[in-house]
Amino acid sequence: MRNKMILRKMQTYTMKLLKYCEGYTYETFQADSKLVDAVCV
């Protein structure tokens, strides 16, 4: 049961990260230091 809850949280966070990165190319993502810090750190 606990594992399912952890996996659900991970899935939710992954979906949020994907939404944050929508519309970005690698170059524009890399140039936006706030987004890089928010997503990668």
Side-chain angles (χ1 to χ4, degrees), residues 1 4-11 14 17 20-22 24-28 30-33 36-37 39 41:
M1 191 68 166
K4 282 186 179 183
M5 186 172 67
I6 291 169
L7 288 173
R8 229 178 263 134
K9 282 184 179 183
M10 289 174 62
Q11 181 184 25
T14 301
L17 290 173
Y20 297 155
C21 296
E22 268 181 19
Y24 280 86
T25 64
Y26 178 76
E27 291 77 20
T28 57
Q30 187 178 18
D32 187 342
S33 62
V36 171
D37 289 344
V39 172
V41 177

